[in-house]
Amino acid sequence: MAGLQRLARVASEVRRDVLAARDRDPAARGAATAEIIATWPGIHALLAYRMAHALEGAGTPLLPRMISMFTRAVTGIEIHPSARIGEGLFIDHGAGVVIGETADIGNNVTLYQGVTLGGTGFATGKRHPTVQDNVTIGSGAKLLGPITIGHGAKIGANSVVITDVPPNSTVVGNPGHPVRVDGRRVEGPDADWIHLPDPIAEAIQALSSRIGALERMVAELSDAEPQPVAEVRPLRTVRGTNPAGG
Ligand SMILES: CC(C)(COP(=O)(O)OP(=O)(O)OC[C@H]1O[C@@H](n2cnc3c(N)ncnc32)[C@H](O)[C@@H]1OP(=O)(O)O)[C@@H](O)C(=O)NCCC(=O)NCCS
């Protein structure tokens, strides 16, 4: 009886996952349900995870980990059977996604390829992120440690997030910092986390100008033609207004 109930729960969760793919993947518009089930790697990974999670909940040894390992080989998505995942998760493209053992994912979350919900070291216990409802995590983002990603947050592609993220905010960069909260630009001193100073470029620029000055002095002393001085540009392009002044 308990087995049948688990099976019914897995079937209902998978149905929600397929609906999530249909809703949130522009490429799924017009695709038949059978096509999504047959060809979407994120759906395969979730189907396998939901079975593995149910088996682990029933105390089955070894098999859940084997399902997880096999799924990783086929889809490139590794979900630990003990991770807790709510309804309507959508994993787009899939390859390189890692969801750790103590990760906790709410409802209607979207993950793109290359997302890691990982630990930061050898700590035991709760060591992976908690992701609340309606969060979107961009491709390549690394979320590390037992942090909480507040509901409705958006994590930019390739961000590295190691601290809690407020609800309804947009976080980008490495380390990740909020650039929008409730749709509004974050304001106040030191709030411009995107246009950070570039100390390496500044150091090279200082050296370059000193070399230029020395070259000009050598040219004057030796009557040689002065050489053009190389320009050093900052690695980061500075765009938009600087809100550091408040
Ligand atoms: C972060 C993201 C969700 C956009 O969120 P948003 O709330 O609409 O925010 P905006 O586009 O207005 O960007 C806010 C600021 O962050 C910057 N930004 C956006 N994404 C960024 C990123 N990944 N890395 C660094 N900065 C980023 C923007 O340039 C903008 O800067 P500004 O304040 O100087 O104008 C989006 O840029 C992103 O990274 N999405 C992931 C998409 C993805 O992985 N696609 C894969 C498909 S296969």
Side-chain angles (χ1 to χ4, degrees), residues 24 88-92 108-112 115 134-138:
R24 278 174 258 155
L89 174 63
F90 173 50
I91 303 176
D92 200 3
N108 302 318
V109 168
T110 302
L111 309 182
Y112 289 98
V115 167
N134 301 315
V135 167
T136 299
I137 306 180

Side-chain angles (χ1 to χ4, degrees), residues 30-150:
T33 302
E35 186 181 342
I36 294 176
I37 292 173
T39 61
W40 257 246
I43 296 292
H44 301 160
L46 283 171
L47 174 60
Y49 155 77
R50 300 220 184 264
M51 286 192 310
H53 187 69
L55 287 168
E56 187 164 271
T60 312
L62 189 63
L63 190 57
R65 295 299 293 266
M66 288 182 68
I67 293 174
S68 166
M69 191 192 71
F70 176 74
T71 311
R72 185 185 65 165
V74 173
T75 64
I77 299 169
E78 178 172 335
I79 308 178
H80 195 288
S82 300
R84 296 198 303 167
I85 298 180
E87 295 186 332
L89 174 63
F90 173 50
I91 303 176
D92 200 3
H93 305 290
V97 170
V98 176
I99 299 176
E101 180 185 8
T102 60
D104 207 326
I105 299 180
N107 297 324
N108 302 318
V109 168
T110 302
L111 309 182
Y112 289 98
Q113 71 274 14
V115 167
T116 300
L117 303 183
T120 50
F122 301 112
T124 52
K126 172 70 174 157
R127 62 194 184 282
H128 300 107
T130 295
V131 178
Q132 295 181 342
D133 299 346
N134 301 315
V135 167
T136 299
I137 306 180
S139 52
K142 312 294 173 218
L143 282 62
L144 306 175
I147 55 177
T148 297
I149 313 301

Side-chain angles (χ1 to χ4, degrees), residues 93 112 138-139 154 156-157 170 172 179-180 185 194-195 239:
H93 305 290
Y112 289 98
S139 52
K154 289 191 256 180
T170 300
V172 302
V179 289
R180 299 279 189 279
R185 191 186 282 265
I194 297 179
H195 311 125
R239 291 177 295 107

Side-chain angles (χ1 to χ4, degrees), residues 17 46 52 67 106 119 123 151 153 160 163 202 206 211 218-219 245:
D17 295 335
L46 283 171
I67 293 174
H151 61 84
V160 178
T163 52
E202 280 167 14
I211 290 170
V218 170

Side-chain angles (χ1 to χ4, degrees), residues 123-232:
T124 52
K126 172 70 174 157
R127 62 194 184 282
H128 300 107
T130 295
V131 178
Q132 295 181 342
D133 299 346
N134 301 315
V135 167
T136 299
I137 306 180
S139 52
K142 312 294 173 218
L143 282 62
L144 306 175
I147 55 177
T148 297
I149 313 301
H151 61 84
K154 289 191 256 180
I155 310 296
N158 278 344
S159 304
V160 178
V161 183
I162 50 172
T163 52
D164 289 351
V165 168
N168 301 315
S169 59
T170 300
V171 165
V172 302
N174 176 9
H177 290 287
V179 289
R180 299 279 189 279
V181 177
D182 288 324
R184 298 179 58 183
R185 191 186 282 265
V186 181
E187 290 183 5
D190 297 323
D192 185 6
W193 298 107
I194 297 179
H195 311 125
L196 294 172
D198 190 337
I200 296 173
E202 280 167 14
I204 295 173
Q205 214 157 16
L207 286 173
S208 166
S209 65
R210 293 193 65 174
I211 290 170
L214 287 171
E215 282 177 338
R216 275 191 296 276
M217 281 169 64
V218 170
E220 274 171 30
L221 291 172
S222 63
D223 285 338
E225 278 291 302
Q227 296 297 309
V229 178
E231 188 194 350
V232 180

